[in-house]
Coordinates of all heavy atoms in Angstrom, one line a residue:
A1249 N -10.7 5.1 -11.0 CA -11.3 4.2 -12.0 C -10.7 4.4 -13.4 O -10.6 5.5 -13.8 CB -12.8 4.4 -12.1
I1250 N -10.2 3.4 -14.0 CA -9.5 3.5 -15.3 C -10.2 2.5 -16.3 O -10.4 1.3 -16.0 CB -8.0 3.1 -15.2 CG1 -7.3 3.9 -14.1 CG2 -7.3 3.2 -16.5 CD1 -5.9 3.6 -13.8
G1251 N -10.6 3.1 -17.4 CA -11.4 2.3 -18.4 C -10.6 1.6 -19.4 O -9.3 1.7 -19.5
E1252 N -11.3 0.9 -20.3 CA -10.7 0.0 -21.3 C -9.8 0.7 -22.2 O -8.6 0.3 -22.5 CB -11.8 -0.7 -22.0 CG -11.4 -1.7 -23.1 CD -12.5 -2.4 -23.8 OE1 -13.7 -2.0 -23.6 OE2 -12.3 -3.3 -24.6
D1253 N -10.2 1.9 -22.8 CA -9.3 2.6 -23.8 C -8.1 3.1 -23.1 O -7.0 3.0 -23.7 CB -10.1 3.7 -24.4 CG -11.1 3.2 -25.4 OD1 -11.0 2.1 -25.8 OD2 -12.0 4.0 -25.8
E1254 N -8.2 3.6 -21.9 CA -7.0 4.1 -21.2 C -6.0 3.0 -20.9 O -4.8 3.2 -21.1 CB -7.5 4.7 -19.9 CG -6.4 5.5 -19.1 CD -6.3 6.9 -19.6 OE1 -7.2 7.4 -20.2 OE2 -5.2 7.5 -19.4
L1255 N -6.5 1.8 -20.5 CA -5.6 0.7 -20.3 C -4.9 0.2 -21.5 O -3.7 -0.1 -21.5 CB -6.4 -0.5 -19.7 CG -7.0 -0.2 -18.3 CD1 -8.1 -1.3 -17.9 CD2 -5.9 -0.2 -17.2
R1256 N -5.7 0.2 -22.6 CA -5.1 -0.3 -23.9 C -4.0 0.7 -24.4 O -2.9 0.3 -24.8 CB -6.2 -0.4 -25.0 CG -5.6 -0.7 -26.4 CD -6.8 -0.7 -27.4 NE -7.5 0.5 -27.5 CZ -7.1 1.6 -28.1 NH1 -6.0 1.6 -28.8 NH2 -7.9 2.7 -28.1
R1257 N -4.3 2.0 -24.3 CA -3.3 3.0 -24.8 C -2.0 3.0 -24.0 O -1.0 3.3 -24.5 CB -4.0 4.4 -24.9 CG -5.0 4.4 -26.1 CD -5.8 5.7 -26.0 NE -6.6 5.8 -27.2 CZ -7.6 6.6 -27.4 NH1 -7.9 7.5 -26.4 NH2 -8.4 6.6 -28.4
S1258 N -2.2 2.8 -22.7 CA -1.0 2.8 -21.8 C -0.3 1.4 -21.7 O 0.7 1.3 -21.0 CB -1.4 3.3 -20.4 OG -2.3 2.4 -19.8
Q1259 N -0.9 0.4 -22.4 CA -0.4 -0.9 -22.4 C -0.2 -1.4 -20.9 O 0.8 -2.0 -20.6 CB 1.0 -1.0 -23.1 CG 0.9 -0.6 -24.6 CD 2.2 -0.7 -25.3 OE1 2.8 -1.8 -25.4 NE2 2.7 0.4 -25.9
A1260 N -1.2 -1.2 -20.1 CA -1.2 -1.5 -18.7 C -1.6 -3.0 -18.5 O -2.6 -3.3 -17.9 CB -2.1 -0.6 -17.9
T1261 N -0.7 -3.9 -18.9 CA -0.9 -5.3 -18.7 C -0.2 -5.8 -17.4 O -0.3 -7.0 -17.1 CB -0.5 -6.1 -19.9 OG1 0.9 -5.9 -20.1 CG2 -1.3 -5.8 -21.1
D1262 N 0.5 -4.9 -16.7 CA 1.2 -5.3 -15.5 C 0.9 -4.3 -14.4 O 0.5 -3.1 -14.7 CB 2.7 -5.5 -15.7 CG 3.3 -4.2 -16.2 OD1 3.3 -3.9 -17.4 OD2 3.8 -3.4 -15.3
I1263 N 1.2 -4.6 -13.2 CA 0.9 -3.6 -12.1 C 1.7 -2.4 -12.1 O 1.3 -1.3 -11.7 CB 0.9 -4.3 -10.7 CG1 2.3 -4.6 -10.3 CG2 0.1 -5.6 -10.7 CD1 2.4 -5.0 -8.8
G1264 N 3.0 -2.5 -12.6 CA 3.8 -1.3 -12.6 C 3.3 -0.2 -13.5 O 3.3 1.0 -13.1
T1265 N 2.8 -0.6 -14.7 CA 2.3 0.4 -15.6 C 1.0 1.0 -15.1 O 0.8 2.2 -15.2 CB 2.0 -0.2 -17.0 OG1 3.2 -0.8 -17.5 CG2 1.6 0.9 -18.0
L1266 N 0.2 0.2 -14.5 CA -1.0 0.7 -13.9 C -0.8 1.6 -12.7 O -1.4 2.7 -12.6 CB -1.9 -0.5 -13.4 CG -3.2 -0.1 -12.7 CD1 -4.2 0.5 -13.7 CD2 -3.8 -1.3 -12.0
A1267 N 0.2 1.3 -11.8 CA 0.5 2.1 -10.7 C 0.9 3.5 -11.1 O 0.7 4.5 -10.3 CB 1.5 1.5 -9.8
N1268 N 1.5 3.7 -12.2 CA 2.0 5.0 -12.7 C 0.8 6.0 -12.9 O 1.0 7.2 -13.0 CB 2.8 4.9 -14.0 CG 4.2 4.3 -13.7 OD1 4.7 4.4 -12.6 ND2 4.9 3.8 -14.7
Q1269 N -0.4 5.4 -13.1 CA -1.5 6.3 -13.4 C -2.4 6.6 -12.1 O -3.4 7.3 -12.2 CB -2.4 5.6 -14.4 CG -1.7 5.2 -15.7 CD -2.6 4.6 -16.7 OE1 -3.7 5.2 -17.0 NE2 -2.2 3.5 -17.2
I1270 N -1.9 6.1 -10.9 CA -2.7 6.3 -9.7 C -1.9 7.1 -8.7 O -0.8 6.7 -8.4 CB -3.2 4.9 -9.2 CG1 -3.8 4.1 -10.3 CG2 -4.1 5.1 -8.0 CD1 -4.1 2.7 -9.8
S1271 N -2.5 8.1 -8.1 CA -1.7 8.9 -7.1 C -1.5 8.1 -5.9 O -2.4 7.3 -5.4 CB -2.5 10.2 -6.9 OG -3.8 9.9 -6.3
N1272 N -0.4 8.3 -5.3 CA 0.0 7.7 -4.0 C 0.0 6.2 -4.0 O -0.2 5.5 -3.0 CB -1.0 8.1 -2.9 CG -0.3 8.5 -1.6 OD1 0.9 8.1 -1.4 ND2 -1.0 9.1 -0.7
V1273 N 0.3 5.6 -5.2 CA 0.5 4.2 -5.4 C 1.8 3.9 -6.2 O 2.1 4.6 -7.2 CB -0.7 3.6 -6.2 CG1 -0.5 2.2 -6.5 CG2 -2.0 3.8 -5.5
V1274 N 2.6 3.0 -5.7 CA 3.8 2.5 -6.4 C 3.7 1.0 -6.4 O 2.9 0.4 -5.7 CB 5.1 3.0 -5.7 CG1 5.2 4.5 -5.7 CG2 5.1 2.4 -4.2

Side-chain angles (χ1 to χ4, degrees):
I1250 305 177
E1252 181 180 6
D1253 285 344
E1254 190 84 22
L1255 294 167
R1256 174 182 58 80
R1257 287 172 176 166
S1258 62
Q1259 302 182 58
T1261 59
D1262 61 272
I1263 72 166
T1265 308
L1266 179 69
N1268 285 341
Q1269 303 182 52
I1270 308 172
S1271 61
N1272 223 344
V1273 174
V1274 296

